Amino acid sequence: MAGEINEGSVPAYYREVHEAICCRTDERVQADVFKRLLERTGLSKAALSQQIAEHIDCTDGFLTKLTLYKALALIALAQQGKKPSPKLFIHDIKELPKPQLGEPRELSALRMQPAQDDVLTISQTFEQLLTKDTVHVELIPEKKGLFLKHVEYQVTSQRYKMSVYRRYSDFDVFHEVLLQKFAYRVVPALPPKRMLKGVLTSMSEREFIEGRRRALSRFINLVARHPLFSEDELVKTFLTYSGSDVQTKLRDTCKKTGDEFMTNRIATQAKEYLPADVQAQFSTSRELIKNIHNSFQRLRDRAEKMAERSMENSTDLVQFGRELSALGSDASPLPSLASSQSSWGTLRQSLKSLSEEFAVLSDKAAQQGRREQDDVVEKLNFFLDLLQSYRDLCERHEKGVLHEHQKALHKYSMMKRQMMSATVQSKEQASVEQLESRIVQQESAIQTMELRNYFSLFCLHQETQLIFTYLPITANILGAFVNSQVQGHREMGDVWNELQPKLGCLFGSNNGLKPPI
């Protein structure tokens, strides 16, 4: 070998070690990574420096692939107690020895990843995500009273300082192309297009339209604040394109680029960026997020009931005031046996005037219900939409990429058996060659499936981080809840306090207190 190693003669273990520790972008190995590899050899510092390092060229901070193979051979010889020298490669070594370094997959931890190349980590904070954009979705005023098929929305982006008009079908196409391009990301679901069977029995058409508007607003804000979506041409098109054929524009934009796997610069290298225990991390995170989702659903249900009670309280208060007014307005003559006729006449006038105070109380209770709905329930629904889209993503990963991979492997196995059978039975050469061609195509498909599987895991790892980045919304929601209660109780208390002195004419000096018997 003339002191050098021929790549074609190296054992598979050498190649596996190289694959585990080489750079992300080329075949070289960083000198610092190689130094950490030497620490795993169990050799003395003297042996490392005098017998190995002096024969290894890494003056520019890197080792070539062949230089690493040479180093592995020297390490193996030193571990066998021999004095390693490149001269041994010429006469004494017929087969390159295997160094004792452990499993190759464990060695990937030795590889340094530059901070600027840390593509796996989402660096944005919750506050930064919120400031990416705020999108308002409002019903166009002149359309508010029309049937569902005519409803249009004014979509206003704070980031682009633009308003565009969209129908539900535009949102639907946008959602469709977004899911096509970013199948491995958390794409929030859309609300239903039409009222489901039986919904009309529990809500009016107007309530359904308002609920759908809120859901569309949550959807577009989650999309506009996503670290990846927010910079994509699809989102910009949806929020800014004012032409009449926005759906065609969206589909054309998607066709030009293809899905994320085809455009992401590290898609085919995703495996290298994943931590060794990515599956264990994914399982643990998925279970935790499932529990968080369930807890937030229960919180939302309680908050909705509180908002409903505030609205019911509003209705009860105004009705209470109306009944007092009706009682005070009753002009029926009193019978002669009613000894307190003159007193009741004065009392009736006072009762009639109290209806205005209860109308104010009713208005305050209604305001409280709207605050609880807008500031608390809506924020809970916003986070729940994100959590649900994460759970949907996990299902897509398992039922999509993994399932297709298993199907491809099964098909490949069947074709290989057919090939063996055809060879044994000496079938026609043309049919055998055709089968061989199909097997090669299937192998290529399987390789692509494997790359997509790793990229799907890569995206899942990032989207899991996104969920945890959003978790501080809990404090945001709690603050809104407490503030709404403080404001509501203060406003209601002010009205009750103003009402109390007005009861003097009804109860004299007791001012509403029960007189002693």
Side-chain angles (χ1 to χ4, degrees):
M1 295 185 194
E4 295 297 333
I5 290 180
N6 186 325
E7 184 175 354
S9 65
V10 300
Y13 182 79
Y14 281 42
R15 295 190 180 91
E16 290 169 0
V17 170
H18 170 261
E19 185 179 343
I21 66 173
C22 68
C23 294
R24 308 283 192 193
T25 52
D26 57 45
E27 293 185 339
R28 297 179 304 168
V29 175
Q30 288 177 315
D32 288 333
V33 175
F34 178 64
K35 287 178 184 177
R36 287 199 289 277
L37 182 72
L38 291 177
E39 293 171 3
R40 295 175 62 97
T41 62
L43 298 172
S44 66
K45 289 184 178 180
L48 292 174
S49 61
Q50 296 172 14
Q51 300 174 2
I52 297 175
E54 67 180 17
H55 300 302
I56 301 303
D57 178 21
C58 56
T59 52
D60 62 348
F62 292 93
L63 285 74
T64 65
K65 184 195 294 187
L66 291 179
T67 301
L68 174 69
Y69 291 161
K70 179 180 175 181
L72 293 177
L74 293 172
I75 290 169
L77 291 171
Q79 288 176 330
Q80 292 173 6
K82 299 176 182 178
K83 185 176 180 180
S85 167
K87 294 180 181 179
L88 290 172
F89 301 152
I90 302 175
H91 304 294
D92 300 343
I93 304 296
K94 294 181 180 179
E95 183 177 337
L96 293 175
K98 179 180 178 180
Q100 302 302 310
L101 299 170
E103 290 294 321
R105 65 174 179 271
E106 297 173 358
L107 301 179
S108 59
L110 302 176
R111 180 170 46 192
M112 288 195 306
Q113 182 173 314
Q116 65 271 23
D117 202 25
D118 188 10
V119 295
L120 188 61
T121 303
I122 291 179
S123 58
Q124 282 123 328
T125 64
F126 172 61
E127 290 74 17
Q128 288 171 330
L129 292 178
L130 291 185
T131 56
K132 280 184 174 293
D133 200 356
T134 296
V135 184
H136 296 285
V137 178
E138 300 296 339
L139 288 168
I140 298 177
E142 60 268 26
K143 304 287 185 181
K144 283 186 177 179
L146 301 181
F147 292 108
L148 291 181
K149 64 181 179 179
H150 297 298
V151 170
E152 281 193 307
Y153 305 92
Q154 185 180 48
V155 180
T156 306
S157 164
Q158 200 173 78
R159 175 181 181 179
Y160 294 109
K161 295 178 174 57
M162 280 192 67
S163 289
V164 291
Y165 298 100
R166 299 285 180 255
R167 289 191 173 184
Y168 179 89
S169 58
D170 300 328
F171 278 93
D172 194 30
V173 170
F174 177 53
H175 179 264
E176 175 192 320
V177 295
L178 202 62
L179 203 50
Q180 285 174 8
K181 184 170 184 179
F182 298 106
Y184 309 127
R185 302 286 179 180
V186 287
V187 179
L190 285 181
K193 181 177 182 178
R194 301 189 182 280
M195 283 190 267
L196 303 175
K197 188 176 180 180
V199 169
L200 272 174
T201 60
S202 60
M203 67 166 67
S204 68
E205 182 179 325
R206 184 176 294 276
E207 287 174 321
F208 175 80
I209 293 174
E210 172 58 17
R212 194 175 67 176
R213 182 199 66 77
R214 288 176 180 269
L216 290 173
S217 177
R218 296 194 300 269
F219 162 79
I220 192 61
N221 276 285
L222 281 170
V223 169
R225 293 167 182 172
H226 189 283
L228 194 66
F229 303 164
S230 60
E231 306 305 320
D232 191 79
E233 191 64 26
L234 278 174
V235 177
K236 183 178 180 181
T237 298
F238 186 80
L239 292 175
T240 63
Y241 183 72
S242 56
S244 59
D245 56 344
V246 64
Q247 296 181 21
T248 303
K249 181 76 171 175
L250 288 167
R251 287 197 169 102
D252 288 346
T253 302
C254 187
K255 286 177 185 175
K256 286 177 185 176
T257 56
D259 75 344
E260 188 189 359
F261 179 77
M262 303 298 292
T263 58
N264 193 303
R265 65 181 179 85
I266 58 92
T268 57
Q269 302 170 313
K271 181 181 178 181
E272 298 182 15
Y273 293 91
L274 293 172
D277 61 342
V278 63
Q279 289 287 4
Q281 286 189 35
F282 169 52
S283 298
T284 302
S285 299
R286 184 178 184 180
E287 187 63 26
L288 175 59
I289 291 170
K290 175 186 172 183
N291 294 337
I292 291 171
H293 183 246
N294 292 337
S295 293
F296 268 85
Q297 275 188 320
R298 290 190 287 270
L299 286 170
R300 190 272 317 276
D301 292 345
R302 293 299 105 192
E304 276 187 338
K305 286 187 178 298
M306 283 187 274
E308 288 169 6
R309 281 200 296 269
S310 292
M311 300 307 291
E312 289 170 358
N313 188 32
S314 170
T315 302
D316 291 339
L317 283 166
V318 75
Q319 194 60 43
F320 192 91
R322 285 173 184 165
E323 292 300 333
L324 287 177
S325 179
L327 183 62
S329 300
D330 186 2
S332 302
L334 293 174
S336 57
L337 55 84
S339 59
S340 58
Q341 182 177 350
S342 59
S343 174
W344 175 239
T346 307
L347 229 89
R348 282 198 303 195
Q349 288 296 320
S350 298
L351 291 174
K352 186 176 179 181
S353 67
L354 290 178
S355 64
E356 295 178 7
E357 307 296 336
F358 280 90
V360 175
L361 286 167
S362 172
D363 184 56
K364 295 297 182 185
Q367 290 177 26
Q368 174 65 9
R370 287 191 292 271
R371 268 195 301 270
E372 289 167 343
Q373 180 66 45
D374 296 341
D375 298 346
V376 183
V377 176
E378 202 56 27
K379 285 185 174 69
L380 285 164
N381 277 327
F382 178 83
F383 190 44
L384 279 170
D385 286 354
L386 178 65
L387 293 171
Q388 183 59 53
S389 65
Y390 177 82
R391 296 182 70 173
D392 293 343
L393 173 62
C394 293
E395 286 193 18
R396 283 204 303 277
H397 171 72
E398 292 182 339
K399 294 181 180 178
V401 180
L402 290 181
H403 180 64
E404 291 300 319
H405 191 195
Q406 288 166 357
K407 279 172 58 180
L409 286 172
H410 177 70
K411 184 177 178 181
Y412 177 72
S413 176
M414 295 286 289
M415 291 167 67
K416 288 288 282 186
R417 282 199 291 270
Q418 289 175 10
M419 181 66 187
M420 291 174 65
S421 175
T423 304
V424 170
Q425 296 176 21
S426 300
K427 292 190 176 180
E428 293 182 10
Q429 184 66 24
S431 63
V432 172
E433 288 178 356
Q434 188 179 27
L435 195 54
E436 286 178 341
S437 175
R438 288 172 57 200
I439 287 174
V440 170
Q441 291 176 358
Q442 190 65 13
E443 286 174 342
S444 175
I446 288 171
Q447 185 179 20
T448 302
M449 288 284 184
E450 288 177 345
L451 291 174
R452 280 187 175 271
N453 179 45
Y454 284 118
F455 183 61
S456 180
L457 278 171
F458 175 90
C459 295
L460 258 175
H461 198 73
Q462 287 191 325
E463 300 304 282
T464 303
Q465 294 175 60
L466 179 64
I467 300 299
F468 289 116
T469 302
Y470 259 106
L471 273 175
I473 199 173
T474 308
N476 192 292
I477 293 168
L478 277 173
F481 175 66
V482 171
N483 290 338
S484 73
Q485 296 302 313
V486 169
Q487 184 176 349
H489 283 85
R490 183 177 64 244
E491 290 179 356
M492 291 286 284
D494 290 343
V495 179
W496 284 117
N497 286 329
E498 289 174 6
L499 176 61
Q500 192 175 33
K502 297 178 182 179
L503 302 181
C505 59
L506 297 176
F507 303 103
S509 59
N510 287 300
N511 204 26
L513 297 176
K514 185 178 179 181
I517 296 176

